[in-house]
């Protein structure tokens, strides 16, 4: 628009952007950031108490923030927190893990990186659904968690035509959370022989990676801290 009309439109747009930043963007990002920092500081303090470290907390926190070794860790995790699908639990999980890494002065592992990704990509409801499903799983003799999705018959017939019943749609048959966990490397599907003697029978199993134990331990602690606030 030109002239007065264009000026009015620009003022409306500017007003809307400022309102959005104040009411929506800043509110949501600040809540995520607060959850992250609160959990990080609480866990860092807990780790120090266990080690009987009597140094001033503010000085200790300033030391790790100013340590070039952790600059990228803080930058990347804070960015994940601000854009996390989770409003509360995910940022808390990330805070817990950052505190563990910094307080123990260790290098970020591959499992740590994957936990950061999952905590950022999953909503609170997805993590809750995944935890419920995980708790219902069976455990093999070597400690692997698994659960039957369904048993299928290979080369089944439908209306006289052979069809493939072996394909699993995780989102539809298990839940959106399973798709997120699979993408982050926390679970996968396996074909196991059927329990019957019919050779065409196959059991479609969902198998969880060992790091799921650690992720859900962090999830439980983050959930408890959120409930206590």
């Amino acid at each position: 628009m030109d002239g007065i009309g264009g000026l009015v439109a620009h003022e409306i747009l500017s007003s809307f952007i400022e309102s959005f930043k104040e009411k929506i963007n800043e509110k949501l990002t600040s809540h995520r950031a607060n959850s992250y920092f609160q959990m990080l500081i609480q866990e860092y303090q807990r780790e120090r108490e266990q080690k009987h470290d009597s140094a001033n907390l503010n000085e200790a926190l300033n030391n790790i923030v100013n340590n070039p070794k952790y600059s990228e860790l803080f930058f990347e995790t804070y960015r994940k927190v601000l854009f996390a699908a989770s409003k509360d639990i995910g940022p808390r999980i990330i805070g817990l893990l950052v505190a563990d890494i910094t307080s123990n002065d260790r290098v970020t592992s591959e499992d740590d990186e994957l936990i950061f990704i999952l905590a950022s990509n999953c909503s609170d409801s997805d993590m809750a659904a995944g935890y419920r499903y995980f708790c219902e799983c069976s455990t093999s003799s070597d400690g692997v968690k698994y659960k039957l999705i369904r048993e299928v018959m290979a080369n089944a017939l439908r209306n006289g035509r052979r069809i493939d019943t072996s394909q699993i749609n995780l989102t539809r048959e298990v839940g959106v959370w399973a798709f997120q966990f699979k993408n982050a490397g926390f679970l996968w599907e396996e074909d196991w022989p059927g329990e019957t003697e019919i050779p065409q029978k196959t059991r479609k199993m969902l198998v969880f990676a060992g790091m799921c134990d650690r992720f859900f331990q962090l999830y439980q602690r983050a959930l408890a801290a959120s409930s206590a606030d």
Side-chain angles (χ1 to χ4, degrees):
M1 293 182 184
D2 296 325
I4 299 298
L7 179 61
V8 171
H10 179 73
E11 290 178 350
I12 291 174
L13 177 61
S14 298
S15 175
F16 176 78
I17 291 173
E18 288 303 314
S19 179
F20 176 86
K21 288 168 63 178
E22 179 182 353
K23 303 289 179 57
I24 306 296
N25 185 51
E26 291 181 7
K27 179 180 179 181
L28 294 179
T29 56
S30 64
H31 181 82
R32 286 169 168 80
N34 287 341
S35 295
Y36 166 72
F37 287 122
Q38 182 184 51
M39 202 77 260
L40 191 161
I41 293 170
Q42 287 180 1
E43 179 64 9
Y44 191 79
Q45 174 66 357
R46 190 184 73 86
E47 291 275 359
R48 292 173 68 253
E49 288 175 352
Q50 289 183 342
K51 297 172 184 176
H52 305 290
D53 186 347
S54 58
N56 180 273
L57 178 60
N58 284 335
E59 291 181 6
L61 289 170
N62 283 328
N63 287 337
I64 62 169
V65 169
N66 294 321
N67 188 339
K69 178 180 179 180
Y70 299 122
S71 297
E72 186 173 351
L73 172 66
F74 280 113
F75 176 79
E76 289 297 330
T77 55
Y78 186 65
R79 183 176 62 84
K80 283 182 169 61
V81 164
L82 293 184
F83 294 99
S86 165
K87 295 181 178 68
D88 186 45
I89 305 301
R92 288 178 185 272
I93 290 174
I94 294 172
L96 280 169
L97 196 48
V98 170
D100 177 70
I101 293 168
T102 54
S103 63
N104 290 295
D105 195 27
R106 64 179 181 83
V107 176
T108 304
S109 68
E110 183 177 340
D111 282 2
D112 294 331
E113 295 287 1
L114 293 175
I115 289 174
F116 287 144
I117 291 171
L118 187 61
S120 175
N121 291 346
C122 273
S123 67
D124 291 339
S125 59
D126 285 341
M127 282 185 272
Y131 179 65
R132 288 193 298 270
Y133 194 94
F134 184 76
C135 291
E136 296 170 356
C137 286
S138 302
T139 306
S140 67
S141 57
D142 54 354
V144 175
K145 291 275 192 178
Y146 65 91
K147 189 174 181 181
L148 173 69
I149 302 175
R150 61 180 164 90
E151 197 169 43
V152 300
M153 176 73 78
N155 298 320
L157 290 175
R158 179 182 295 165
N159 298 328
R161 299 175 60 184
R162 292 198 177 277
I163 59 171
D164 182 8
T165 62
S166 64
Q167 297 302 312
I168 296 293
N169 185 314
L170 279 182
T171 300
R172 185 179 67 246
E173 299 188 45
V174 181
V176 174
W177 69 268
F179 178 77
Q180 298 281 9
F181 274 63
K182 181 179 180 180
N183 280 351
F186 281 76
L187 59 80
W188 58 88
E189 302 143 70
E190 286 186 4
D191 289 350
W192 292 10
E195 294 182 309
T196 67
E197 295 181 358
I198 303 175
Q200 296 90 343
K201 284 275 190 178
T202 300
R203 288 181 294 162
K204 294 299 211 178
M205 312 298 292
L206 204 59
V207 182
F208 286 83
M211 60 185 168
C212 280
D213 283 315
R214 188 178 181 211
F215 177 82
F216 284 124
Q217 287 170 4
L218 293 170
Y219 168 78
Q220 287 178 285
R221 293 185 58 198
L223 185 65
S226 178
S227 300
D229 286 345

